[in-house]
Amino acid sequence: MTVETKKETYLNYVNGAWVASTSGETKPSLNPANTKDVIGYVQMSTKEETDQAVAHAKVAQKAWKKLSGNDRGTFLYKAADVLESRLDEIAECMTREMGKTLPEAKGETARGIAILRYYAGEGLRKVGDVIPSTDSKALMFTSRVPLGVVGVITPWNFPVAIPIWKMAPALIYGNSIVIKPAQEAAITLAKVIECFEEAGFPAGVVNMVTGSGSVIGQALTDNPDVNGITFTGSNGVGKGIGQGCLARGAKYQLEMGGKNPVIVAADADIDLAVDSTISGAFRSTGQKCTATSRVIVEAAVYETFKEKLLAKTAEITVGDGLESGIWMGPSASESQLNTVLHYIEKGKEEGATLLAGGNRLTGEGYDNGFFVEPTIFENVTSDMTIAQEEIFGPVIALIQVNSLENALTIANDVEFGLSASIFTSNIQSMLSFVEDMEAGLVRINSESAGVELQAPFGGMKQSSSHSREQGEAAKEFFTSIKTVFVK
């Protein structure tokens, strides 16, 4: 990339054009591995500009919904092809902007391509059912109709996959969208939006406005012409959005926090459990809503598991995700780094034993970035802060138990219920886990952090508003059912 590109100010995309904000205010997007590297500048837009984007989206949606599902799918296929042609460029931007390693960024971008193609195919799948009527001379059937304008509010940790898994179903089912990306990943999304522009989407169908959540997110929540909001982010913000939408009768979909457990049974494949725990907890620097946070281990294998976990953790290389051989990148921002360090100190204060890590990395290659060591605590009890609150960083809380029943009790002893996994070779243990674990995603002999695009995804308890994203389940949020009676 040229210096000029690095210093570019990325504009809003509204009604088919790139538009400068009237606020004149921008913020730099910095590489969390090297804050001297400025990727570009992001506009801090206004409520009025958000409302204008919504107004254009409302107009454009009227014609967009009239297209056949097949025709809308053609646009998604084109966007997938453009994104594929720019995979390396967008993945590199992602790594520079939010820190995950380049192989992970490439994998995420490839997933975005697959999601677009999956939902492009949805344009030719059924949208209703024929239902027998009590009147023998009547035809009764259901159809699905779009909501209208959908507000899309996305986080920084998956700056390609999460926006696309919200945008693609919204679009294929006939909605128009206004998306507000997280500031920390807005440039990556701008490049994704360029792919939609190149694919030829009609003006106003896809819109992007950047800025603070308190301004842009609130404007979307309050606007009477926004018929639904799909959000991924923190519980506090999500609940505020839900309350705002409820007050005016808009539909909302919230995917929020997790405190995801792994249970390691006495009969587990210990090497598999260790490898999967490390991958689930430390990849993406623990910045996944499905990341492994608590590891609950039966006493009979606790010491063996711990020894192998520490040995494997010691092998992790931390550094700039663009460099070869780096396994874990930085925290995505100084704020996120400070949050992780706060929880590490909280663990120490409350009596947990620090086994590994726990420090900010300094010295050559680290001083200009937000790097933290992969961290492991033991002697953690379920009432400790690090066992209850989402950290969103590379921190594992080890908890020793004497039975699987106790393990399940502790696994469920949090306000969240997003994902969970168990390692066992016992079928009855597997079935008990599937039945009793209070989580929207349960996995057997596999890490907690894993979502397939064709399957429903969402949480229980405080992890979600109980709707589901991805797969065919997405149509439940992005459409309404219309029942038709023909005499």
Side-chain angles (χ1 to χ4, degrees):
M1 290 187 176
T2 65
V3 173
E4 288 75 15
T5 302
K6 288 182 182 179
K7 306 300 182 182
E8 180 180 348
T9 295
Y10 287 80
L11 307 181
N12 294 330
Y13 185 71
V14 177
N15 200 32
W18 294 95
V19 183
S21 171
T22 58
S23 75
E25 182 184 355
T26 62
K27 286 193 175 181
S29 182
L30 305 179
N31 182 342
N34 177 13
T35 55
K36 292 183 178 181
D37 177 21
V38 179
I39 293 94
Y41 292 86
V42 178
Q43 297 189 128
M44 304 301 292
S45 306
T46 67
K47 174 187 181 300
E48 291 72 25
E49 288 160 343
T50 308
D51 291 342
Q52 290 167 11
V54 171
H56 287 299
K58 182 178 180 180
V59 172
Q61 194 265 339
K62 294 176 182 178
W64 177 249
K65 73 177 181 179
K66 296 290 187 181
L67 297 180
S68 70
N70 180 68
D71 288 343
R72 291 194 295 267
T74 298
F75 285 101
L76 291 182
Y77 278 125
K78 289 178 180 176
D81 291 343
V82 177
L83 182 58
E84 188 170 48
S85 72
R86 297 181 61 182
L87 187 152
D88 289 342
E89 172 206 347
I90 290 174
E92 181 181 333
C93 180
M94 187 194 308
T95 295
R96 288 179 62 215
E97 190 170 33
M98 63 76 57
K100 68 175 59 179
T101 65
L102 188 57
E104 287 182 283
K106 287 183 177 180
E108 180 184 335
T109 307
R111 182 179 174 189
I113 296 162
I115 293 168
L116 285 168
R117 288 176 176 154
Y118 173 87
Y119 281 110
E122 276 288 292
L124 286 174
R125 298 188 183 109
K126 72 170 188 174
V127 291
D129 297 288
V130 175
I131 302 170
S133 171
T134 55
D135 186 334
S136 63
K137 293 182 172 57
L139 169 66
M140 187 164 63
F141 63 92
T142 62
S143 182
R144 286 190 173 271
V145 296
L147 297 181
V149 178
V150 174
V152 182
I153 303 174
T154 57
W156 45 259
N157 60 326
F158 285 92
V160 172
I162 290 180
I164 288 178
W165 87 43
K166 294 176 182 294
M167 293 165 65
L171 293 167
I172 196 64
Y173 298 129
N175 303 283
S176 60
I177 62 168
V178 178
I179 184 167
K180 186 216 107 49
Q183 292 178 51
E184 297 90 340
I187 293 176
T188 302
L189 184 66
K191 291 180 179 295
V192 172
I193 297 297
E194 288 173 357
C195 297
F196 283 79
E197 178 188 31
E198 189 174 336
F201 275 78
V205 171
V206 176
N207 306 273
M208 179 191 76
V209 181
T210 63
S212 70
S214 61
V215 176
I216 311 305
Q218 194 64 50
L220 290 172
T221 301
D222 294 342
N223 193 307
D225 289 329
V226 175
N227 306 100
I229 290 184
T230 175
F231 166 86
T232 297
S234 70
N235 282 59
V237 174
K239 288 179 179 179
I241 289 170
Q243 290 167 357
C245 289
L246 179 65
R248 63 176 183 82
K251 203 170 183 180
Y252 61 92
Q253 176 184 65
L254 313 174
E255 290 302 335
M256 300 176 289
K259 193 65 181 172
N260 313 299
V262 164
I263 295 174
V264 182
D267 56 12
D269 179 331
I270 299 300
D271 290 328
L272 174 63
V274 167
D275 288 344
S276 299
T277 296
I278 285 175
S279 179
F282 297 147
R283 284 200 184 276
S284 293
T285 321
Q287 297 170 140
K288 298 179 182 180
C289 54
T290 54
T292 301
S293 185
R294 298 172 295 148
V295 184
I296 306 165
V297 187
E298 278 205 89
V301 294
Y302 180 84
E303 292 299 329
T304 300
F305 177 87
K306 180 178 76 172
E307 179 182 339
K308 292 189 174 189
L309 181 70
L310 289 171
K312 286 280 189 179
T313 299
E315 297 173 2
I316 292 175
T317 53
V318 181
D320 187 335
L322 288 176
E323 297 178 3
S324 61
I326 294 299
W327 196 92
M328 191 178 93
S331 295
S333 65
E334 185 174 18
S335 172
Q336 193 57 39
L337 171 68
N338 289 336
T339 296
V340 174
L341 294 174
H342 162 77
Y343 278 110
I344 290 171
E345 289 305 310
K346 197 74 174 173
K348 295 176 186 176
E349 291 170 7
E350 294 184 357
T353 303
L354 183 63
L355 291 177
N359 301 301
R360 179 174 184 172
L361 286 164
T362 57
E364 186 177 353
Y366 296 124
D367 283 344
N368 293 321
F370 306 127
F371 297 97
V372 63
E373 295 173 319
T375 300
I376 301 172
F377 282 99
E378 72 170 344
N379 296 322
V380 178
T381 58
S382 191
D383 60 344
M384 290 182 179
T385 302
I386 61 169
Q388 289 292 320
E389 297 183 11
E390 185 176 42
I391 299 173
F392 226 60
V395 181
I396 287 174
L398 285 177
I399 302 174
Q400 185 175 173
V401 294
N402 293 317
S403 68
L404 279 178
E405 291 77 14
N406 191 18
L408 268 168
T409 298
I410 291 173
N412 284 326
D413 184 30
V414 290
E415 66 177 354
F416 302 106
L418 187 54
S419 70
S421 65
I422 188 172
F423 290 85
T424 180
S425 57
N426 183 285
I427 293 176
Q428 185 55 54
S429 298
M430 296 177 191
L431 294 175
S432 295
F433 176 77
V434 169
E435 182 176 4
D436 296 332
M437 188 66 226
E438 298 167 357
L441 172 65
V442 294
R443 292 163 65 85
I444 313 298
N445 294 322
S446 183
E447 67 178 81
S448 66
V451 181
E452 297 204 29
L453 64 92
Q454 71 276 21
F457 173 68
M460 297 180 178
K461 299 194 282 191
Q462 297 299 309
S463 286
S464 108
S465 58
H466 308 287
S467 62
R468 292 295 181 260
E469 298 189 279
Q470 302 200 89
E472 290 186 40
K475 74 174 64 167
E476 298 295 334
F477 176 75
F478 290 107
T479 65
S480 295
I481 294 176
K482 179 180 288 186
T483 300
V484 181
F485 183 90
V486 182
K487 177 76 172 180

